[in-house]
Amino acid sequence: MTWWPLIKIVPIKTNLKFVKFAKFFGALSAVLCIASVIGVFYPGMNMGIDFRGGAAMELTTADGRPLNLEQVRSAVDGLGMGDVGVQGIDDDSSAILRFQIPEGQAQADVVERVQNAVTTEVGAVTYSGVSVVGSKVSSELFTSGLLALGAAVALMFAYIWFRFEPQFGFGAVAGLVHDVVLVFGLIVLFRLEFNLNMVAAILTVIGYSMNDTVVVFDRLRENLRKYKTMPLRDVIDLSINETLSRTIITGVTAIMVLAALAVFGGVALFGFSIALMAGIIIGTYSSVYVAAPIILLWGVKRGEFAEEAKPVKLGMASRP
């Protein structure tokens, strides 16, 4: 007996015709992907310190009292420095502060303004280890982040290729590329800071989307073996319907956790949480209307999914 009311709301068995609307949603996905790609270049992404460059310094309270990280962040935010990062280290009395250096302004002047603002807000603080993240390092981090995303997609493609068949691998990769592009589009649309946290969020979206796609493909392959004469579009609809309740419950549970993280996790984790929530919704959608319909367009040979020969049970040999 289950006590979670959501499980009772989600019907156990559905008979929705997903393939019927595949053309419409396929065209919609194509338009959104094109718009997202355009948005990445114009107006462009809101790069964070990790990819734009900036300054970093360590600050410690003079008397060892706990350092309020939100006060430090609000003090620097009031200067209009763009992306601001505050990370606690060691004990509660120390933190690493990162901020951008506005173009055309001297680094020394900006650092002095930041130090004065923080001191005014939180009291006596000592500063050390002032360093600058140069454009070269930022460029290398950005390139490494893109390579990580590309490698993740390639490895997922190889996994699906060996586990299933080529058309399944192509459908899965199309779904992954679709998810990554649309998440980039949402980052541009909502002007979220694109930093290393966002790269981690997109990598997580890739893993979630692949997991959801594998569940649908596993059921599809099973049904192709079971219903040898059923039209392919009906087998796809049946497979999606049979995994729908699991998909909805898993997705809603993850979104509930991420919503709490977005509300209580502070500014540093807000963009990460929003990107993940959007990615989960997009990943679920792509499993239904991107990955699976490609199987229909490509087609499959039912002979590839023939039942494996069952072992013959040998009876006991008669005694001579």
Side-chain angles (χ1 to χ4, degrees), residues 154-172:
L155 291 173
M156 293 297 181
F157 174 71
Y159 168 73
I160 291 293
W161 184 290
F162 285 106
R163 177 166 179 174
F164 298 98
E165 283 71 34
Q167 61 268 41
F168 286 83
F170 183 74

Side-chain angles (χ1 to χ4, degrees), residues 21 76 90 93 109 184 186 214 272 309-310:
F21 304 100
V76 184
D90 296 334
S93 64
D109 295 339
F184 270 106
L186 287 174
V214 166
F272 174 83
K310 297 181 179 179

Side-chain angles (χ1 to χ4, degrees), residues 167-168 170-175 217 236 288-299:
Q167 61 268 41
F168 286 83
F170 183 74
V173 169
F217 281 1
I236 293 175
V288 176
Y289 281 115
V290 178
I294 286 180
I295 308 300
L296 180 63
L297 292 175
W298 190 311

Side-chain angles (χ1 to χ4, degrees), residues 224-297:
L224 285 170
R225 292 171 176 169
K226 187 184 300 185
Y227 306 102
K228 300 182 185 301
T229 59
M230 181 184 291
L232 181 57
R233 61 188 301 118
D234 293 338
V235 178
I236 293 175
D237 277 338
L238 175 64
S239 303
I240 297 174
N241 278 288
E242 288 179 345
T243 57
L244 187 61
S245 60
R246 177 262 178 204
T247 299
I248 292 176
I249 293 172
T250 303
V252 171
T253 303
I255 289 174
M256 290 169 59
V257 174
L258 291 170
L261 185 62
V263 174
F264 301 107
V267 178
L269 294 177
F270 180 77
F272 174 83
S273 305
I274 295 299
L276 266 182
M277 283 192 287
I280 287 174
I281 297 173
I282 295 171
T284 302
Y285 162 83
S286 70
S287 297
V288 176
Y289 281 115
V290 178
I294 286 180
I295 308 300
L296 180 63
L297 292 175

Side-chain angles (χ1 to χ4, degrees), residues 117-132:
V118 172
T119 301
T120 302
E121 183 72 22
V122 302
V125 176
T126 59
Y127 303 92
S128 61
V130 179
S131 61
V132 177

